Amino acid sequence: MSNTIDANVVSRLNQGGPSSRDASQSAELRNNFMTLLIAQMQHQDPLNPMDNHEMTTQLAQINTVSGIEDLNKTMKGITDQMNAGQTLQATALIGKGVLVPGDRLLLEHGEEGELHTTPFGIELPQSADNVRVVITSASGQVINRYDIGPVKAGVESFTWDGRTSEGEAAAAGSYRVRIEATSDGKAVNANTLNYAVVGGVTPPDKNGGVRLDLGAVYGQVGLDQIKQIL
């Protein structure tokens, strides 16, 4: 008698096997293999028995598939918990002001002539001997230019007084800020940060993590883009 499984046996096994919709891939593979193994042992030729090494190898492969599937389930659970934690953390930022990469400034005039500007920030990879701030209009015209002095590495927030280089009140509206940082006479890379208010949170999906809604002007950003909470 041959040690291969009769086609009728395979057909009956396939008809009675578990559905892929009702069992995991590894469980279905394992069940089918064990069923086929038992049937093959029952139909094997006593003078030409099955190869034990081949059977052991197949069992090891199935166990590997099952282990990978269990690991994937565990990792998914950890990822879901992390996403839930990020969402909870992000919702605490709703209504708060934050500094994110950008160069926008807003200037408003108060009822009694006060000038109100949104903060801006500087992110430096290393300390700078001097940082110069350049305020420009939407058209690129320089409105004011002044020195802050030395700034340490990291993130620092500042405010513009809303006045021109001549000391006059600038017109209300939108402006841009440019940073020029130097150390020992050499330029230092500086990232400019602008102020925005978190208006909402978008939970993570399969394409990314939690997103913070900063309004129509600034759009949505990830948590990793929040450089400082004001």
Side-chain angles (χ1 to χ4, degrees):
M1 179 182 295
S2 172
N3 64 353
T4 59
I5 302 176
D6 183 78
N8 292 330
V9 175
V10 175
S11 176
R12 290 196 301 271
L13 290 172
N14 288 336
Q15 293 175 2
S19 169
S20 59
R21 294 175 299 177
D22 301 328
S24 67
Q25 180 180 3
S26 64
E28 182 178 0
L29 178 62
R30 185 168 52 250
N31 291 337
N32 285 342
F33 173 77
M34 293 305 298
T35 303
L36 290 169
L37 178 63
I38 293 172
Q40 188 171 357
M41 293 178 66
Q42 292 175 342
H43 292 79
Q44 70 178 333
D45 184 354
L47 300 178
N48 185 22
M50 294 175 56
D51 187 344
N52 290 335
H53 175 72
E54 181 180 356
M55 181 177 64
T56 303
T57 300
Q58 292 177 350
L59 284 172
Q61 290 174 345
I62 289 177
N63 287 333
T64 299
V65 172
S66 179
I68 292 175
E69 185 177 72
D70 290 341
L71 178 61
N72 289 338
K73 290 179 180 179
T74 301
M75 292 301 298
K76 184 179 183 303
I78 294 175
T79 301
D80 290 343
Q81 291 181 359
M82 292 177 62
N83 288 338
Q86 285 187 342
T87 303
L88 183 61
Q89 178 185 2
T91 55
L93 295 176
I94 295 177
K96 294 185 179 295
V98 295
L99 290 180
V100 295
D103 62 356
R104 294 175 180 270
L105 282 176
L106 293 178
L107 168 61
E108 293 182 351
H109 290 188
E111 295 181 357
E112 299 181 2
E114 304 98 336
L115 302 178
H116 303 288
T117 61
T118 54
F120 66 92
I122 303 171
E123 184 179 26
L124 294 174
Q126 65 182 75
S127 298
D129 296 336
N130 185 64
V131 171
R132 172 166 292 185
V133 177
V134 181
I135 306 296
T136 61
S137 66
S139 63
Q141 178 185 0
V142 175
I143 303 300
N144 199 346
R145 181 185 286 110
Y146 60 93
D147 293 334
I148 293 178
V151 177
K152 296 180 179 179
V155 176
E156 296 283 349
S157 60
F158 302 91
T159 55
W160 169 46
D161 62 8
R163 298 188 177 277
T164 66
S165 299
E166 291 74 26
E168 300 177 355
S174 176
Y175 293 86
R176 294 186 181 276
V177 58
R178 186 173 75 248
I179 304 299
E180 299 174 353
T182 57
S183 179
D184 295 329
K186 298 181 180 179
V188 175
N189 291 329
N191 294 324
T192 308
L193 310 173
N194 60 214
Y195 175 84
V197 177
V198 180
V201 174
T202 301
D205 57 22
K206 62 181 180 180
N207 297 321
V210 176
R211 306 289 292 177
L212 303 178
D213 184 4
L214 304 183
V217 175
Y218 304 110
Q220 291 189 339
V221 300
L223 280 174
D224 60 335
Q225 293 181 277
I226 303 299
K227 303 301 181 178
Q228 193 175 79
I229 302 172
L230 302 177

